[in-house]
């Protein structure tokens, strides 16, 4: 079709669809509209004005991309419901430019956060960071991501040409004609995923593969992704996987196979004796794979699934399936905190298979592969394997999709086929819920069970169920909050004392099953909680004291605060009993024997910038000290020629203790309200428990609590002086002195000590009621 004739037609159409001259002028002047790139997708040779007109009239509705690094389909998936409502039927690029919506990356292969961290001036570009990369960054040699050398625009364009030339796909082996390599390698695990073009594989498969491989913790793995005849733009995104990750392959089907046939076809490309089938919605967490393999290695076990939790709130989606006396299996522990799954370790299950399933390659092939396309596909497969099912409580995978019931949308034909083949399986629902401490008391309209507490034995009747309300969000972001580690240490402490404790991340604070808990212990950070009637409720104010009100705390049965001074002030001013209960440390993670002193960073800080100037850290940086930082957001605060270094975005909590112990000096500071009101940082207890030397800002009420290992710096000069002492032992104490302080902290300020006091408070309250 000639470009001139097409231009006339689409320009005429623009008036009918409501596009304005201003829209056209905006795109004509934008670096994010590339007429040559767009013309290749439109299948016509268009000049710039004709290409813009075509895009506004029709192209954006068809999902055509205006630029190699502007993917409208991907961007729509990142925008909120409110933003999509604002967009309506409009063009995403126009809205992006007009509203300056630069907070989201415009392409799944452009790492905008890393680019802005490396080139902060990118935020000042009038069309956003990706336009800065196109205008300035690429030519200057600034990388678009961590895995590609060269211009990302050119790479995307090249891969698009490859995808167009390979429309017919690659041959796909069948189970009747498996290649010799398939399933032949002992000790190798094949991770198998399908890129379903209906669900935007660039935004599903890419993060699923990244999470699965980075969380595999050294296991010997390969990853094989099947592109189920997706469009060329999907193939471009998938082509990045072998570049980014070793032992990763993408194969393509020439015709659309569908979910079940695609999974079965992948078996022909799997070299490992063990296969793990993953949905593209899976986001495995750190250390997820080893527990699955350990469980699969137990005698008689043929299929294993992880504990699958919902992305939205962190509650369980499925910890296996429970078979009732009638009807389809139901997801076990759905809606409960994931800690409840701990009792399922080594427990036999009739049915498993939700989002992820691990099995032996030979068993899956012998069973005929996957037969059902829908949610029951993996369950059906597991039931046909020669052995038992297991859940691995130590393996946690987040389900990154809408938190609907796992059986929602199962077609009638699939239901009938499942019942026909597996309807005679013995019921295990009552047994499995009882193992977890619950009993089935009825049925919801959708067939899922109504659950109550199982207090049939005296031992269970004595054990309290304590729900710790963690203010952190669910998912990976919540893992970066200290509150999450705080809550986990409390769970372990309560468990050692003979009680059951579970963690609710903030979105799950008022989950529908909260009435099953005896006690709600709220870690009061940035969020207020609404106590449930009839439940023992304790507030432990550990941060953000300026947001706490008398009315809020009056609703609790008892209030504690991690500050002696604030507790005394509020008790006097508000006429209520606020008990001081300081923060604590976990001796299992923090101690003086984790590393040799003075063998690590000369000056250490573990924490994010919070996008503010942190005076203690910057005093050391600006003095030219060799500060080693673990945390995000520091690029804009560190001069290019400084001696400080950001070692990594984060340090795993299990490694923090060794880093503290080995450091010459550990830096610490507080939020201003916490410093003023005497909320002694958890970091101080952790570092002191490691016999580390610590320099901190002046927090009210600290006094001699952690002396001499913690020294107060009231000025920038104090920070520099304390971090560069010629004889630090003369001020901080020698190693013998610091070890003695460490043992006192580990004994008197442990989470176990705090749990003992909290249980005493609960017992007192329950005796009164």
């Amino acid at each position: 079709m000639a470009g001139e004739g097409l231009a006339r037609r689409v320009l005429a159409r623009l008036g009918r669809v409501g596009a304005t001259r201003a829209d056209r002028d905006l795109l004509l002047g934008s670096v994010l509209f590339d007429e040559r790139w767009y013309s290749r997708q439109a299948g016509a040779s268009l000049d710039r004005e004709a290409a813009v007109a075509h895009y506004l009239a029709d192209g954006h509705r068809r999902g055509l991309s205006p630029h190699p690094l502007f993917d409208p389909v991907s961007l729509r998936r990142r925008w909120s419901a409110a933003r999509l409502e604002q967009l309506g039927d409009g063009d995403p690029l126009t809205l992006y430019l007009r509203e300056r919506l630069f907070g989201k990356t415009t392409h799944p292969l452009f790492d905008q956060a890393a680019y802005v961290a490396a080139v902060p001036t990118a935020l000042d570009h009038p069309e956003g960071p990706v336009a800065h990369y196109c205008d300035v960054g690429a030519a200057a040699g600034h990388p678009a991501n961590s895995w590609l050398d060269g211009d990302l625009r050119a790479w995307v364009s090249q891969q698009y040409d490859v995808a167009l030339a390979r429309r017919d796909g690659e041959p796909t082996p069948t189970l009747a004609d498996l290649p010799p390599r398939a399933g032949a390698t002992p000790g190798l695990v094949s991770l198998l995923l399908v890129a379903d073009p209906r669900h935007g594989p660039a935004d599903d498969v890419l993060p699923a593969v990244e999470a699965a491989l980075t969380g595999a913790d050294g296991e010997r793995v390969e990853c094989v992704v099947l592109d189920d005849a997706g469009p060329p733009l999907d193939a471009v995104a998938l082509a990045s996987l072998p570049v980014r990750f070793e032992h990763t392959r993408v194969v393509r089907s020439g015709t659309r196979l569908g979910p079940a046939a695609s999974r079965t076809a992948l078996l022909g490309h799997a070299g490992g004796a063990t296969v793990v089938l993953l949905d593209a919605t899976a986001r495995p967490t750190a250390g997820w794979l080893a527990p699955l393999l350990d469980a699969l290695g137990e005698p008689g076990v043929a299929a294993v699934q992880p504990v699958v939790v919902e992305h939205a709130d962190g509650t369980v989606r499925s910890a296996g399936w429970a078979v009732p006396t009638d009807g389809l299996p139901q997801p076990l522990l759905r809606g409960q905190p994931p800690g409840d799954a701990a009792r399922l370790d080594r427990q036999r299950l009739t049915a498993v298979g939700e989002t992820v399933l691990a099995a032996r390659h030979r068993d899956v092939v012998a069973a005929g592969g996957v037969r059902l396309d829908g949610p029951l596909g993996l369950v059906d497969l597991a039931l046909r394997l020669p052995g038992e099912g297991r859940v691995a409580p130590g393996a946690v995978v987040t389900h990154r999709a809408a938190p609907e019931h796992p059986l929602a949308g199962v077609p009638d034909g699939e239901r009938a086929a499942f019942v026909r083949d597996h309807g005679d399986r013995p019921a295990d629902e009552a047994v499995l819920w009882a193992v977890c401490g619950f009993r089935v008391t009825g049925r919801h309209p959708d067939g899922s069970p109504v659950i109550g507490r199982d207090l049939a034995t005296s031992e269970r009747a004595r054990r309290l169920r304590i729900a710790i309300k963690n203010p952190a969000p669910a998912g990976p972001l919540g893992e970066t909050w200290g509150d999450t580690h705080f809550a986990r240490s409390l769970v372990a402490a309560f468990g050692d004392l003979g009680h059951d404790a579970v963690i609710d991340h903030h979105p799950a604070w008022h989950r529908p099953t909260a009435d099953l808990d005896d006690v709600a212990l709220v870690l009061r950070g940035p969020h207020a909680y609404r106590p449930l009637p009839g439940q023992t409720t304790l507030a432990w104010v550990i941060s953000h004291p300026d947001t706490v009100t008398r009315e809020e705390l009056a609703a609790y049965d008892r209030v504690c605060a991690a500050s002696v001074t604030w507790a005394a002030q509020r008790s006097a001013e508000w006429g209520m009993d606020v008990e001081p209960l300081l923060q604590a440390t976990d001796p299992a993670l923090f101690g003086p024997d984790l590393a040799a002193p003075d063998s690590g960073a000369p000056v250490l800080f573990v924490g994010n910038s919070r996008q503010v100037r942190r005076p203690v850290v910057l005093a050391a940086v600006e003095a030219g000290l060799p500060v080693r930082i673990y945390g995000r957001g520091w690029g804009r605060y560190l001069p290019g020629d400084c001696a400080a270094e950001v070692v990594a975005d984060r340090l795993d909590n299990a490694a923090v203790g060794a880093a503290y112990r080995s450091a010459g000096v550990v830096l610490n500071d507080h939020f201003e309200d916490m410093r003023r009101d005497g909320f002694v940082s958890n970091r101080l207890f952790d570092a002191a428990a490691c016999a580390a030397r610590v320099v901190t800002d002046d927090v009210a009420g600290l006094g001699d609590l952690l002396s001499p290992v913690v020294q107060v710096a009231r000025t920038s000069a104090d920070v520099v002086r304390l971090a560069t002492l010629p004889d630090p032992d003369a001020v901080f104490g020698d190693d013998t002195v610091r070890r003695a302080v460490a043992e006192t902290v580990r004994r008197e300020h442990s989470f176990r000590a705090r749990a003992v006091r909290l249980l005493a408070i609960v017992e007192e309250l329950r005796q009164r009621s």
Side-chain angles (χ1 to χ4, degrees):
M1 180 181 293
E4 183 179 351
L6 178 61
R8 286 196 298 270
R9 282 190 288 275
V10 296
L11 285 169
R13 175 170 163 73
L14 278 177
R16 298 194 298 273
V17 300
T20 67
R21 182 72 237 183
D23 294 337
R24 281 176 276 167
D25 289 345
L26 184 64
L27 298 194
L28 285 169
S30 173
V31 70
L32 295 180
F33 194 93
D34 181 333
E35 64 271 22
R36 286 175 294 181
W37 165 263
Y38 184 78
S39 294
R40 289 155 70 192
Q41 296 172 79
S45 178
L46 305 173
D47 63 24
R48 186 168 183 80
E49 184 162 356
V52 166
H54 185 276
Y55 174 71
L56 288 172
D58 187 55
H60 72 86
R61 291 181 178 82
R62 293 167 50 195
L64 302 186
S65 164
H67 187 277
L69 300 188
F70 193 95
D71 182 347
V73 175
S74 177
L75 191 59
R76 283 173 180 269
R77 291 171 61 83
R78 288 179 167 85
W79 277 345
S80 66
R83 186 67 68 195
L84 291 175
E85 183 177 359
Q86 179 187 11
L87 174 64
D89 293 330
D91 156 41
L93 178 55
T94 302
L95 183 64
Y96 175 84
L97 294 172
R98 182 178 293 124
E99 299 293 328
R100 298 180 60 83
L101 304 178
F102 304 154
K104 304 290 186 183
T105 185
T106 60
H107 195 279
L109 303 185
F110 180 69
D111 189 343
Q112 179 165 299
Y115 185 78
V116 169
V119 192
T121 54
L123 288 171
D124 301 327
H125 193 284
E127 295 188 12
V130 72
H132 180 279
Y133 173 77
C134 297
D135 259 352
V136 180
H142 296 301
N145 51 48
S146 62
W147 49 267
L148 181 70
D149 294 328
D151 191 327
L152 180 61
R153 294 170 299 179
W155 188 89
V156 168
S157 182
Q158 178 188 35
Q159 294 301 319
Y160 185 78
D161 288 340
V162 171
L164 287 178
R166 202 184 57 194
R167 285 181 181 273
D168 291 338
E170 300 179 2
T172 301
T174 66
L175 292 185
D177 185 28
L178 286 177
R181 177 180 180 279
T185 308
L188 178 65
V189 181
S190 296
L191 310 180
L192 308 180
L193 295 91
V194 175
D196 187 334
R198 298 173 301 172
H199 303 300
D203 296 299
D204 281 338
V205 175
L206 266 61
V209 170
E210 180 176 8
L213 292 176
T214 56
D217 283 356
E219 298 291 342
R220 187 182 173 202
V221 299
E222 66 169 2
C223 183
V224 189
V225 177
L226 188 140
D227 178 358
D228 191 15
L233 287 179
D234 287 351
V236 170
L238 294 172
S240 70
L241 289 172
V243 183
R244 296 175 63 188
F245 303 109
E246 191 177 9
H247 307 304
T248 297
R249 291 177 286 126
V250 178
V251 296
R252 179 176 172 83
S253 172
T255 58
R256 185 73 55 83
L257 297 176
S262 292
R263 282 175 157 167
T264 301
L266 273 169
L267 295 170
H269 295 276
T274 300
V275 294
V276 181
L277 289 82
L278 297 94
D279 285 352
T281 60
R283 300 295 182 272
T285 61
W288 72 284
L289 186 54
L292 291 179
L293 301 180
D294 290 345
L296 190 60
E298 295 177 12
V301 176
V304 184
Q305 77 157 79
V307 177
V308 182
V309 301
E310 299 286 7
H311 165 76
D313 62 8
T315 59
V316 173
R317 177 178 175 84
S318 162
W321 297 76
V323 179
T325 55
D326 185 35
L328 295 176
Q330 294 294 324
L332 184 60
L333 293 180
R334 181 170 183 261
Q336 296 292 119
D340 282 326
R343 293 187 179 183
L344 292 172
D345 190 30
R346 298 181 180 275
Q347 174 65 41
R348 174 181 178 175
L349 278 80
T350 301
V352 295
E354 163 61 34
T355 304
V356 176
L357 184 72
R360 296 174 188 84
H361 185 280
R362 66 173 185 270
D363 290 345
V364 178
V365 170
V370 183
R371 300 188 307 190
L372 302 180
D373 283 335
L376 290 171
L378 294 183
V379 184
D380 167 72
L381 170 61
L383 287 171
R384 291 184 284 112
L385 298 180
E388 301 174 1
R390 287 283 192 278
V391 168
V396 178
V397 169
T398 298
H399 178 259
R400 194 66 164 82
E404 60 186 7
H405 193 286
L407 296 181
V410 177
D412 290 342
E414 185 168 308
R415 288 175 179 266
F418 190 92
V419 171
R420 180 193 66 230
D421 293 340
H422 307 295
D424 59 349
R425 296 280 177 171
D428 61 4
E429 182 180 64
V431 171
L432 293 178
W433 280 103
V435 166
C436 298
F438 303 98
R439 58 192 177 90
V440 178
T441 62
R443 292 276 163 204
H444 292 292
D446 64 1
S448 60
V450 178
I451 302 302
R453 289 279 296 283
D454 182 6
L455 303 176
T457 67
S458 59
E459 186 273 335
R460 281 185 176 169
R462 288 192 301 269
R463 296 177 72 95
L464 293 173
R465 178 175 170 83
I466 304 167
I468 300 172
K469 306 298 182 179
N470 174 11
L477 180 59
E479 292 297 312
T480 68
W481 285 42
D483 307 80
T484 298
H485 305 301
F486 193 102
R488 285 177 180 156
S489 294
L490 271 177
V491 167
F494 284 126
D496 289 344
L497 294 168
H499 298 280
D500 298 324
V502 294
I503 298 172
D504 288 324
H505 287 267
H506 178 243
W509 274 12
H510 293 96
R511 55 182 160 80
T513 56
D515 60 341
L516 300 175
D517 309 322
D518 297 309
V519 179
L521 171 59
V522 180
L523 304 182
R524 180 45 162 94
H527 307 296
Y529 174 74
R530 184 182 71 256
L532 295 178
Q535 190 177 69
T536 302
T537 54
L538 281 69
W540 190 358
V541 183
I542 61 173
S543 67
H544 296 77
D546 281 355
T547 67
V548 179
T549 66
R550 183 189 186 283
E551 291 71 24
E552 175 193 342
L553 297 187
Y556 288 92
D557 295 309
R558 186 69 63 85
V559 177
C560 300
S563 167
V564 174
T565 56
W566 191 86
Q569 291 167 357
R570 297 291 85 79
S571 294
E573 293 174 11
W574 292 349
M576 63 174 58
D577 180 16
V578 179
E579 178 177 329
L581 193 68
L582 300 182
Q583 294 205 37
T585 190
D586 188 338
L589 295 172
F590 298 95
D593 298 322
L594 295 173
D598 298 305
S599 62
V603 184
L604 175 69
F605 182 75
V606 181
N608 301 323
S609 73
R610 304 182 190 141
Q611 300 302 320
V612 297
R613 285 182 58 85
R614 301 188 72 157
V616 172
V617 179
L618 294 184
V621 170
E622 292 164 1
L625 302 186
V627 185
R628 299 294 175 263
I629 298 174
Y630 291 86
R632 301 188 310 277
W634 284 101
R636 62 187 294 191
Y637 299 105
L638 304 182
D641 58 350
C642 72
E645 175 190 359
V646 177
V647 181
D649 285 347
R650 67 183 297 267
L651 181 62
D652 189 88
N653 197 50
V656 174
Y660 285 164
R661 176 55 169 159
S662 65
V665 171
V666 176
L667 303 180
N668 177 74
D669 66 5
H670 296 78
F671 282 105
E672 176 55 28
D673 57 351
M674 294 179 68
R675 187 196 66 77
R676 180 195 66 226
D677 289 328
F679 284 79
V680 177
S681 167
N682 182 248
R683 185 187 290 110
L684 291 184
F685 291 102
D686 291 341
C690 296
R693 306 181 190 96
V694 188
V695 177
T696 186
D697 52 0
D698 189 11
V699 55
L702 177 60
D704 295 331
L705 177 66
L706 301 171
S707 180
V709 301
V710 174
Q711 293 290 319
V712 172
R714 294 179 174 82
T715 66
S716 294
D718 284 344
V719 174
V720 177
R721 175 180 59 82
L722 289 167
T724 58
L725 291 168
D727 182 12
D729 287 355
V731 175
F732 292 96
D734 62 20
D735 199 51
T736 301
V737 170
R738 298 200 307 275
R739 277 182 170 273
V741 173
E743 290 311 311
T744 299
V745 170
R746 284 158 53 86
R747 181 179 64 253
E748 297 180 4
H749 299 286
S750 68
F751 279 100
R752 181 185 177 91
R754 302 296 185 254
V756 167
R757 177 56 194 151
L758 289 166
L759 288 170
I761 293 172
V762 170
E763 181 61 26
E764 175 189 334
L765 292 170
R766 289 169 68 86
Q767 287 182 355
R768 288 182 185 176
S769 61

